[in-house]
């Protein structure tokens, strides 16, 4: 009443905050035996609904009365009455989630149904507000609130012996958020935020559901979890293709979101089934898959997300030394999890660079293909060195280390492998007419010769020394021969283009 009399919503906000503070004080006084919890939850839900209705009604009255004349912004300045007219109803539904999280963390809730049931009511209210008042970001706010509550309960109270009930709740929330924009498809067809929330609901719930199933049902085939999660976004993709016209300006964004979510789960099936490094391998496959999808659905977000994932994978594998200690050395050299993880990441980087051929190669105005090729080459070089180190390490050792002395065969292996890698780079650089690749190969070959002269000569025995010299010399002569042929062919081609006869 004071808000209507003064034409400002600040009194409602003040009373809302005071009421939630009183409820939080009451929650803190609930004994651990849970005496009084149902009453507290009923009051919390009742006050949330009351304030949502009161704030919404008051906001509508002020808007229709002319007190609010500008378009509201949900994340704008709270002192602006126009923004507060939409922020206050949203706060009345989202702030109770903080109390629910506090209840979850403080009390021994073996059964999450009372808390999750009230959360479900609040989510439905937020989704209803989003549809009625066209507040596109409210579904995302509701999703973040629910995820925070779900994780709080899981890490505090989850019991593998009682996993069925929370699994049903998790899947129920996932289904609710995913189906929301399809239920109101006609009204939300030209929007993006509700569809983004629906597409992200699966990937954001996946880790929680996967950890629950892996803990409570260890005999389940792991790959079935992402395969099952891939079905809803795939069905959503088919529905969008059938119901959304291509003239819709947001059709590309909607297709990209659900296509990306589908590929996210499909690319996780085999990494999770093989278990080791499934996060890294999944990110690499997803990054390459998003770059491939960009060829079909030209939404720039797909390309940006794909390149970003691949860069993160490179940083994780190349700049994180702890990755070499994640698993003990296997009994079989070469064909091990190092080749599996680094090999898939390298192939994904090269494949993404190939799929982002012009005119799809620009991200923020920069050509990303040289970056992807460079990162893939660096990972390939790391594979070579890691496999040599792994081959000469003791089976079962906890951490792989690089040593360049103390073993004659290993030292010679490094020199020969570096020379061969440099030769391969030189061949590729000549075939692709890439000067940077040729210079990199010559630099690596020079580093190999320096290592051979200043390190191997003092460490290797006579026989190994001769063998290393012979192999590296043959490679160097072959590289020199190929480079001369390439330069002669390039000079001849330039003379032909300029109209000068080769004989002249």
């Amino acid at each position: 009443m004071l808000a209507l009399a003064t034409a400002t919503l600040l009194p409602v906000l003040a009373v809302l905050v005071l009421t939630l503070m009183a409820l939080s004080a009451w929650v803190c006084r609930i004994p651990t035996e849970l005496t009084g919890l149902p009453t507290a939850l009923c009051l919390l839900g009742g006050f949330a609904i009351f304030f949502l209705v009161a704030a919404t009604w008051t906001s509508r009255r002020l808007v229709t009365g002319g007190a609010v004349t500008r378009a509201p912004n949900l994340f704008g300045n709270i002192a602006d009455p126009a923004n507060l007219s939409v922020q206050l109803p949203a706060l009345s539904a989202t702030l109770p989630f903080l109390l629910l999280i506090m209840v979850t963390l403080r009390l021994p809730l073996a059964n999450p149904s009372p808390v999750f049931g009230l959360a479900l009511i609040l989510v439905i209210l937020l989704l209803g507000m989003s549809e009625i008042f066209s507040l596109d970001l409210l579904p995302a706010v509701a999703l973040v609130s629910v995820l925070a509550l779900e994780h709080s309960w899981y890490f505090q109270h989850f019991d593998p012996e009682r996993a069925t009930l929370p699994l049903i709740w998790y899947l129920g929330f996932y289904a609710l958020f995913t189906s929301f924009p399809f239920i109101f498809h006609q009204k939300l067809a030209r929007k993006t935020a509700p569809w983004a929330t629906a597409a992200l609901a699966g990937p954001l719930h996946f880790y929680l559901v996967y950890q629950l199933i892996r803990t409570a049902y260890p005999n389940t085939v792991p790959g079935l979890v992402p395969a099952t999660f891939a079905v809803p976004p795939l069905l959503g993709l088919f529905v969008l293709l059938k119901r959304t016209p291509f003239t819709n300006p947001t059709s590309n964004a909607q297709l990209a979101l659900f296509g990306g979510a589908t590929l996210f789960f499909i690319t996780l099936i085999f990494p999770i089934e093989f278990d080791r490094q499934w996060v890294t391998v999944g990110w690499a496959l997803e990054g390459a898959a998003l770059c491939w999808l960009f060829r079909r659905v030209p939404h720039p977000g797909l390309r940006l997300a794909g390149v970003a994932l691949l860069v993160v994978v490179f940083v994780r594998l190349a700049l994180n030394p702890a990755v070499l200690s994640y698993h003990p050395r296997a009994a079989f050299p070469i064909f091990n999890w190092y080749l599996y993880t680094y090999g898939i990441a390298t192939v994904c980087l090269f494949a993404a660079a190939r799929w982002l051929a012009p005119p799809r190669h620009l991200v923020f105005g920069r050509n990303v293909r040289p970056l992807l090729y460079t990162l893939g080459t660096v990972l390939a070089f790391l594979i070579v060195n890691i496999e040599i180190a792994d081959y000469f390490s003791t089976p079962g050792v906890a951490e792989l280390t690089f040593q360049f002395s103390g073993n004659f065969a290993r030292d010679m292996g490094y020199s020969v492998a570096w020379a061969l890698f440099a030769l391969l780079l030189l061949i590729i650089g000549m075939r692709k007419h890439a000067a940077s690749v040729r210079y990199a190969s010559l630099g690596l070959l020079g580093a190999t010769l320096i290592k051979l002269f200043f390190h191997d000569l003092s460490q290797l025995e006579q026989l190994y020394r001769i063998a290393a010299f012979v192999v590296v010399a043959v490679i160097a002569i072959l590289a020199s021969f190929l480079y001369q042929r390439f330069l002669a062919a390039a000079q001849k081609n330039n003379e032909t283009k300029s109209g000068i006869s080769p004989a002249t």
Side-chain angles (χ1 to χ4, degrees), residues 404-441:
F404 295 94
S405 61
N407 188 304
F408 302 138
R410 182 181 57 207
D411 292 349
M412 186 176 69
Y414 280 124
S415 298
V416 173
W418 290 8
L420 289 174
F421 196 88
L423 178 62
L424 180 61
L425 282 181
L426 182 62
I427 295 174
I428 294 174
M430 290 187 296
R431 287 182 59 87
K432 299 296 182 180
H433 298 279
S436 59
V437 178
R438 298 197 303 271
Y439 297 152
S441 68

Side-chain angles (χ1 to χ4, degrees), residues 227-305:
T228 305
F229 264 75
V231 175
L234 183 61
L235 293 177
L237 186 62
F238 288 148
V239 172
L240 288 174
L241 286 171
K242 184 177 181 180
R243 298 178 61 179
T244 305
F246 288 101
T247 56
N248 187 342
T250 61
S251 62
N252 273 348
Q254 296 171 7
L255 294 175
L257 286 166
F258 279 86
T262 304
L263 290 175
F264 172 80
F265 295 120
I266 292 176
T267 53
L268 277 181
I269 294 175
F270 292 104
I272 283 185
E273 189 64 34
F274 292 124
D275 187 37
R276 292 189 174 185
Q277 295 293 323
W278 66 270
V279 174
T280 303
V281 174
W283 286 353
L285 293 173
E286 173 71 1
L290 290 177
C291 293
W292 169 83
L293 182 61
F294 178 71
R295 295 166 60 91
R296 273 69 184 172
V297 182
H299 189 279
L302 290 174
R303 177 179 54 195
L304 179 61

Side-chain angles (χ1 to χ4, degrees), residues 187-431:
K187 187 172 183 179
L188 302 177
R190 292 184 173 272
K191 298 184 177 181
T192 301
W195 298 98
T197 304
L200 292 175
L204 293 177
H205 274 91
F206 173 76
Y207 177 78
L208 205 58
V209 174
Y210 172 71
Q211 291 296 333
L212 184 149
I213 293 177
R214 190 178 70 167
T215 304
Y217 310 103
N219 295 326
T220 305
V221 179
L224 288 178
V225 181
T228 305
F229 264 75
V231 175
L234 183 61
L235 293 177
L237 186 62
F238 288 148
V239 172
L240 288 174
L241 286 171
K242 184 177 181 180
R243 298 178 61 179
T244 305
F246 288 101
T247 56
N248 187 342
T250 61
S251 62
N252 273 348
Q254 296 171 7
L255 294 175
L257 286 166
F258 279 86
T262 304
L263 290 175
F264 172 80
F265 295 120
I266 292 176
T267 53
L268 277 181
I269 294 175
F270 292 104
I272 283 185
E273 189 64 34
F274 292 124
D275 187 37
R276 292 189 174 185
Q277 295 293 323
W278 66 270
V279 174
T280 303
V281 174
W283 286 353
L285 293 173
E286 173 71 1
L290 290 177
C291 293
W292 169 83
L293 182 61
F294 178 71
R295 295 166 60 91
R296 273 69 184 172
V297 182
H299 189 279
L302 290 174
R303 177 179 54 195
L304 179 61
V307 173
L309 281 174
L310 291 171
V311 172
V312 170
V313 168
F314 172 82
V315 171
R316 180 177 173 82
L317 293 179
L319 305 180
N320 176 27
V323 74
L324 301 177
S325 61
Y326 287 163
H327 306 287
R329 184 197 186 274
F332 300 98
I334 308 300
F335 298 99
N336 46 34
W337 77 268
Y338 293 117
L339 182 63
Y340 159 71
T341 305
Y342 283 81
I344 290 179
T346 302
V347 171
C348 288
L349 283 164
F350 287 141
R354 183 176 181 85
W355 286 327
L356 293 181
R360 308 178 185 92
H361 60 299
L362 298 179
V363 175
F364 298 124
R366 301 282 184 175
N367 185 3
V368 296
R369 298 187 74 204
L371 172 66
L372 296 176
Y373 278 128
T374 300
L375 299 184
T377 303
V378 172
L379 281 187
F381 185 67
L382 281 176
I383 294 174
V384 173
N385 290 273
I386 288 174
E387 291 296 344
I388 294 174
D390 179 73
Y391 184 87
F392 290 99
S393 62
T394 305
V397 66
E399 183 176 358
L400 184 67
T401 58
F402 294 98
Q403 299 179 7
F404 295 94
S405 61
N407 188 304
F408 302 138
R410 182 181 57 207
D411 292 349
M412 186 176 69
Y414 280 124
S415 298
V416 173
W418 290 8
L420 289 174
F421 196 88
L423 178 62
L424 180 61
L425 282 181
L426 182 62
I427 295 174
I428 294 174
M430 290 187 296
R431 287 182 59 87

